[in-house]
Amino acid sequence: MKLTRIRVDQFRQFRRALEIDGLDAGLNLFTGPNEAGKSTLVAAIRAAFFERHRSASVDDLRPWGDPAAAPTVALDFELDGQPCRLVKTFLAKKRCTLQIGGETLDGEEAENRLAALLGFQHAGRGASKAEHWGIPGLLWIEQGGAQALREAVGHAGDHLRGALEGALGEVAASGGDALLATVEAQRAELLTEAGGRPRGAYKEALEAEVALAGELGALDEAIARYRQRVDALAALRAEHAADEAEQPWRAFRAHQQAAAERLAAVREREATLAAARTRAAQVDAQLALLRSQVDGFAREDEAAAARAAALEAARAALDSVRAPLEQWTARRVQAAQALETARAALRAARQAEARDSLAREAAASRTRHAAGAAQLARAEAAHAQVLALQHAVAANELRPADLETLRTQDRALADLRLQQAAAATRLVYVLEPGCSLELDGDTLSGAGERRLLAAASLVLPGLGRLQIAPGGADLAALAARGADLEARQQALLVRLGLGSMDAAERRQLEHARLGGELATAQATLDALAPGGIDALRAEHVRLQARAAEAAQALARLTAPAAAEVAVPAAAVSVADAEAAEAAAAHALAAIQEGLHRAQLAAANGETALAAAARELAAARAQLAAPERARRIAAASAALTDARAEQLTLAARSEALAAEIAAARPDILEQDVDRFRSSAEQLEKRHAERRDQLVRLEIELQSEGAQGLEARRAECARDHARAARRAAELRRRAQALDLLRSLLRDQRRALTRRLQAPLQKHLNRYLQLLFPHACVEIDDNLVPGPLTRPLAGAGGGLETGDFEALSFGAREQMGVLSRLAYADLLAEAGRPTLVILDDALVHSDAERLAQMKRVLFDAATRHQILLFTCHPAAWRDLGVGARSLAALRGLNAVV
Amino acid sequence: MPRFLHTADWQIGKLFGQFEPDEAALLAEERFAAVERLARLAQQHAVDAVLVAGDVFDAQTVADRSVHRLFNAMAGFAGPWLLLPGNHDAALAESVWTRAARLHAIPPNVRVCLEARPVLVEAAGMAVLPAPLTQRNTFNDLTEWFAGADTPPALVRIGFAHGSVQGILAEDIDAANPIAAGRAASARLDYLALGDWHGTRRIDARCWYAGTPETDRFRANDSGRALLVELAAPGALPAVSVLASGRYRWHALSAELQVASDVDRLLAELARFGADDVVQLEVGGRSDLAGHRRLSDALGQARGRTRSLVAELGALQLEPTVADLEGLAADGYLGEVIARLQAAQHGAEPAAAQTARDALVLLAGLLERRAPGAAAAAAAPGGDR
């Protein structure tokens, strides 16, 4: 498609006609500042194609303030080699003509033909919107809309597929996407998107059906129950009526009555029997009494005889116990005398024993007194010795400290002498025989040695004197100390009364010896008088007193005893005497006991005799009572009568018992119970059934009035309707589901076939903009991820979504894509016209330069109308720009 | 010269769930109207009595209101009415009859024959021998006692029963409530008035089914009538005339469409139906889109005309022609979809084939509505039953 001429009249700012002629088959560049009418021109082209000439929604096409205007657009173009002319007038004069070659079309027909040729739709009502624009909407880029590719492709999708299918030799679907959307929307009303589960009206219908089915089931059950109970009512009524007629309990009541009567008769007989038995018991008791009475009389006679015999026996017994009594009395006197004798002997023996004991004691006291006296004498001697020795020891005493001092002084003196000797001047002399020397008065001859302790004078006879002075001062000190020591020792010795050191030593030895003797003497004294000499003396006095006392006691005892000594046998010991006395006492007691028993027996015998005599008298008196004989006769007669009655009663009881046993009263009782219970059961059941009937009748009447079956019929009707609706919706849902999946499948298959050629064209343009980049086409035929080398020389690749690109890049990609579509359409033999209204304003100079190459290349295949308010930016496009302002001026002239 | 009206199977209280609620309500209502018409007929023909041979009520527990309405509907004829309990309204221990009595709904001129005992209608010169059902179903012949019952010789002997005459009706419906064939003769009856079969039917010269006075199903033939019976004297053959009492005519149609003219014929048939017609239509075979559209249009119009029209087009296969497809502008992959659906509707699996048919009709409807220049008023082809 190539536009050759555009004429606009009474159209917005073009109040007067504007005509642009001689349009190039390739690039056409229109320039002009803002408000110059670039966009109005584009709008005119759009309106000519998209808006219905009859549309009432195109008020915006008329110039401002010109209500009578008839906006007109006339376009001359070439289509498939045929010259065409479209003239469209809106509003005031609604008109549309289309000439294609020799053919002329008018009005709606013309518009529809145009839409089919170019691939767009008209709006159903109102102004045309983007979704109607189809392929032109894609290729005619509005100001600032180059980047909004996805929407434009979406609106053009079906037309594109349809148009491009031709290239593939197939037929595409017109409005397939819209149809698919409709199917999806309708399906979504009934099924969920995800699981295809029922929803909305479909779900409600299914639920309603289930609910009604449940209700129907419940009603069916209720009706079945109701019917069962109606049948039960009939059965009950029949039974009740039969009962009423028969009254079966009556027979049982009669049976019960008969049995009760028989039982009463038996009970009467049982009472008679009991009475007879009571009487028999009374007769038995009477018999026993009478018998005992008769026996009593016999026993009285026997008792009297026995009493007489007993009296005789008692008398004999008394005689037999009286004889030993006298013997016992005699023997008792003898025993008493023997006891007296034994006691006298015992006394004598005891006195003799006491005297002997005293005599022995007195002798012993004397002996102890004598021994004590001797011991006392020895003890006193020892005591005297101890005292003497103690005195001697005291006289010789030398204190060990004094002795030690003496010994120390002696050793110091000896030491001093040795020091003096060592310090003395040795004078050794060897004299010629006969020669002598005098030293301090001593004459020296022969040879010898002297030690000089002090200055000495040696007289050398004949020669004079030698004064010798020993050297050193300590000799003098030593001499002084020696003299001091000797003086102190001498003083001590004087104080102690000793002549010399030897005397001191001797005294010390003497003292020790005396001490030993003293200890010995002390020990001797201690042995003789352990309690001390005074205690020994007191003991001696006590022993002396004791001996005197014993002698006195013996003297007192001996005097009276001397008179009796001769009377009893002197040889009887005390023990023997005691034994004899005890034996005699024992014998006396035994005899006394025997006597006592004999006395008791005699007394008893007398008492028994007296009792026997009394009893006999009583028995004899009883037998002699005057009424006794008459009473015996009466008792015998009564006994005979009672026996006869007893026999009669026994026979009668037996007969009655047999009769009762034959009648079986226990069974009769059971019979009565059984018949009564049977009758009661029947009566009760009858009553119950009557109640049940009444109850059931009332229930059924009230339930029947609820119109169960009528309700069931209504419910069944509703359920049938609900089921029908559910089935309808199910079929519709299934059909929509199937339709949706088929449409999707087919559409997808088709789209896949279109992707490849589109991609080829797009990538060709892309190389001019981004060398080595490539782009993928998605299911909706929209450019998807773009892959291109990274900026810089790294050699890596980056991939990003179209939407992620910068605005400028998206705009550029948008133009490229549209050109690719145009190529694709051109290949398919479809008309293409590209309009760019102020496009690519966001591109930098470098990119714009690339885009110019792209456009120039595209213009070799498509007519391109490019409108811009930046003439300078497009000066190097290779075509002359047409200034709109200039055009308007020119037209004004025309 | 006794003369009476013989009718049966009023089925009062019956609902018609297979129809839309408003239609069903009218059909249920009409059963009362039918009784009113019967009363008028009885009045017009000055009959001596009206005999209703069972199934007066459709169910035992109908609403009290329905009971009252029924007896009110009978008010148009003041002469004696004899009602017989049938299997739907058997004389059970507790039944619609006991309830009607409790409600004091039964007017004095109406006599319900609850027991098998002769009923003498001296004024009408009739002795009626009723065989009421006292159970819902029985396998005994309740009319057996007729033969042994004596009636005054001056009165005509009328048997009155509800059940299936043995050996006459289809095998599957004579199981319960049997009536021996030739009962009229064997029991010396002048006439045997029967109920249970909803169509009017002559069994022999003295034995008739009256049928229901108002048609209630598609299947029953020759219903919507009542019988006017005249007996000259005891022993004379009855003169039976059939009177129309029904309003609605029920039609069950089925059509197999194969060629375009089949549609024409079906449409002509539909055109005949009017306000008193109740129509059930099943359409099978195949049709192009145009035929389908015409049929849909015709059904829509018929629905407006008739009392009720139930149409089932599920078995009708849609076979769009090339012209159809052009008309629908179903080009490209849409054409492919249509082709696949067309193939699928012949599938072996009935449910899947049905779904494919539905989808095809649906798609055609969507395309039609969309297609430029297509008849905008074309009814949607989907949604028919």
Side-chain angles (χ1 to χ4, degrees), chain A residues 365-565:
Chain A
S365 287
R366 276 192 311 275
T367 314
R368 274 201 303 277
H369 180 235
Q375 192 181 1
L376 184 58
R378 281 202 310 274
E380 277 174 344
H383 184 58
Q385 192 186 359
V386 166
L387 289 179
L389 279 171
Q390 276 173 346
H391 187 74
V393 166
N396 278 321
E397 189 166 19
L398 178 63
R399 286 196 296 142
D402 294 339
L403 180 62
E404 191 55 33
T405 306
L406 287 174
R407 281 177 182 159
T408 305
Q409 288 170 342
D410 208 35
R411 276 194 303 271
L413 275 175
D415 201 25
L416 210 56
R417 302 280 183 252
L418 282 174
Q419 283 181 35
Q420 282 176 325
T425 304
R426 280 171 69 196
L427 182 66
V428 182
Y429 59 92
V430 183
L431 300 177
E432 297 295 324
C435 303
S436 70
L437 291 175
E438 195 182 324
L439 182 65
D440 287 343
D442 293 342
T443 310
L444 301 182
S445 58
E449 183 184 279
R450 289 288 176 104
R451 288 179 188 255
L452 303 178
L453 291 175
S457 114
L458 189 59
V459 178
L460 305 175
L463 294 172
R465 138 182 341 226
L466 283 178
Q467 199 66 35
I468 303 171
D474 48 344
L475 263 179
L478 284 171
R481 268 175 59 199
D484 179 46
L485 269 173
E486 273 173 13
R488 273 161 54 193
Q489 191 177 39
Q490 199 57 45
L492 189 55
L493 284 171
V494 170
R495 184 172 61 85
L496 290 174
L498 294 168
S500 67
M501 188 63 207
D502 291 342
E505 291 291 345
R506 274 192 311 275
R507 188 192 282 185
Q508 204 269 328
L509 284 175
E510 180 64 17
H511 178 75
R513 186 189 59 81
L514 284 173
E517 280 181 18
L518 176 59
T520 304
Q522 190 67 46
T524 306
L525 176 61
D526 287 349
L528 287 173
I533 196 74
D534 294 334
L536 201 55
R537 275 184 199 124
E539 179 66 13
H540 179 65
V541 172
R542 196 182 55 82
L543 285 173
Q544 191 172 20
R546 184 87 176 265
E549 197 182 324
Q552 279 166 9
L554 187 56
R556 275 198 310 271
L557 197 59
T558 308
E564 289 182 25
V565 168

Side-chain angles (χ1 to χ4, degrees), chain A residues 169-225:
Chain A
E170 294 181 28
V171 182
S174 317
D177 282 4
L179 188 75
L180 179 54
T182 308
V183 168
E184 282 179 337
Q186 290 186 359
R187 179 190 174 277
E189 285 169 16
L190 300 180
L191 296 172
T192 59
E193 180 58 38
R197 286 185 299 278
R199 57 170 293 185
Y202 182 23
K203 192 178 172 204
E204 281 165 22
L206 287 175
E207 284 166 356
E209 187 194 351
V210 169
L212 282 166
E215 202 179 317
L216 196 57
L219 279 170
D220 278 340
E221 255 174 53
I223 288 166
R225 255 197 328 273

Side-chain angles (χ1 to χ4, degrees), chain B residues 328-351:
Chain B
L328 294 173
D331 46 1
Y333 69 84
L334 290 183
E336 183 70 20
V337 169
I338 289 174
R340 285 181 63 177
L341 287 174
Q342 244 178 303
Q345 69 177 335
H346 302 298
E349 217 270 291

Side-chain angles (χ1 to χ4, degrees), chain B residues 151-175:
Chain B
T151 50
L155 305 181
V156 294
R157 272 166 76 87
I158 312 289
F160 195 25
H162 185 90
S164 305
V165 174
Q166 297 297 286
I168 303 265
L169 303 174
E171 284 297 317
D172 57 335
I173 50 171
D174 63 359

Side-chain angles (χ1 to χ4, degrees), chain B residues 52-312:
Chain B
V52 190
D55 283 0
V56 175
F57 291 100
D58 192 53
Q60 294 282 10
T61 52
V62 294
D64 285 355
R65 192 171 152 273
S66 299
V67 175
H68 283 297
R69 281 196 67 193
L70 171 67
F71 289 107
N72 288 340
M74 293 159 71
F77 176 63
W81 296 76
L82 269 65
L83 309 187
L84 184 74
N87 54 323
H88 280 258
D89 52 2
L92 305 177
E94 168 68 22
S95 69
V96 66
W97 302 113
T98 60
R99 194 144 53 86
R102 271 202 307 281
L103 293 170
H104 304 295
I106 308 175
N109 63 322
V110 175
R111 174 152 190 179
V112 185
C113 302
L114 296 175
E115 290 168 19
R117 206 188 305 164
V119 175
L120 303 185
V121 191
E122 307 268 3
M126 295 162 63
V128 178
L129 304 178
L133 278 160
T134 51
Q135 292 165 285
R136 285 176 202 92
N137 284 305
T138 178
F139 297 95
N140 301 325
D141 185 346
L142 300 176
T143 61
E144 259 175 20
W145 72 280
F146 289 179
D150 285 331
T151 50
L155 305 181
V156 294
R157 272 166 76 87
I158 312 289
F160 195 25
H162 185 90
S164 305
V165 174
Q166 297 297 286
I168 303 265
L169 303 174
E171 284 297 317
D172 57 335
I173 50 171
D174 63 359
N177 312 326
I179 296 170
R183 175 63 70 197
S186 66
R188 309 181 311 284
L189 301 174
D190 291 311
Y191 184 78
L192 176 53
L194 294 178
D196 197 21
W197 182 250
H198 281 216
T200 301
R201 183 158 180 159
R202 175 185 184 275
I203 302 300
D204 59 38
R206 294 187 185 276
C207 179
W208 286 72
Y209 279 103
T212 181
E214 178 63 46
T215 308
D216 62 350
R217 58 186 75 168
F218 290 108
R219 169 184 177 177
N221 38 20
D222 209 11
S223 56
R225 323 280 160 120
L227 299 176
L228 178 66
V229 183
E230 289 177 271
L231 287 156
L237 275 178
V240 180
S241 25
V242 178
L243 308 178
S245 61
R247 174 176 172 187
Y248 292 121
R249 295 179 297 275
W250 292 48
H251 312 272
L253 298 182
S254 69
E256 183 78 9
L257 304 183
Q258 293 299 347
V259 294
S261 58
D262 288 340
V263 179
D264 296 339
R265 286 172 60 189
L266 179 56
L267 259 50
E269 224 169 329
L270 284 175
R272 289 205 323 271
F273 294 130
D276 288 342
D277 289 306
V278 176
V279 186
Q280 186 183 51
L281 175 62
E282 259 185 65
V283 184
R286 66 198 66 228
S287 166
D288 57 11
L289 274 184
H292 196 280
R293 191 158 54 235
R294 283 169 61 212
L295 179 55
S296 299
D297 291 351
L299 287 175
Q301 286 160 13
R303 242 182 229 115
R305 265 198 330 272
T306 57
R307 172 75 289 132
S308 177
L309 171 65
V310 178
E312 173 54 59

Side-chain angles (χ1 to χ4, degrees), chain A residues 819-838:
Chain A
L819 293 174
Y821 282 118
D823 284 347
L824 208 53
L825 288 163
E827 273 185 1
R830 307 286 297 186
T832 59
L833 168 65
V834 180
I835 299 177
L836 292 157
D837 186 2
D838 248 356

Side-chain angles (χ1 to χ4, degrees), chain A residues 246-303:
Chain A
E246 284 175 31
Q247 303 211 331
W249 53 87
R250 283 198 168 168
F252 290 124
R253 285 292 182 201
H255 288 318
Q256 180 200 350
Q257 183 69 24
E261 280 164 13
R262 280 209 302 282
L263 183 61
V266 172
R267 292 285 179 242
E268 218 169 291
R269 276 190 181 72
E270 280 175 342
T272 314
L273 176 60
R277 279 180 177 156
T278 311
R279 178 65 198 145
Q282 286 169 357
V283 170
D284 285 350
Q286 199 183 354
L287 266 174
L289 279 172
L290 287 170
R291 277 195 194 106
S292 72
Q293 205 178 345
V294 171
D295 289 350
F297 290 129
R299 273 197 304 278
E300 280 170 6
D301 290 342
E302 284 165 18

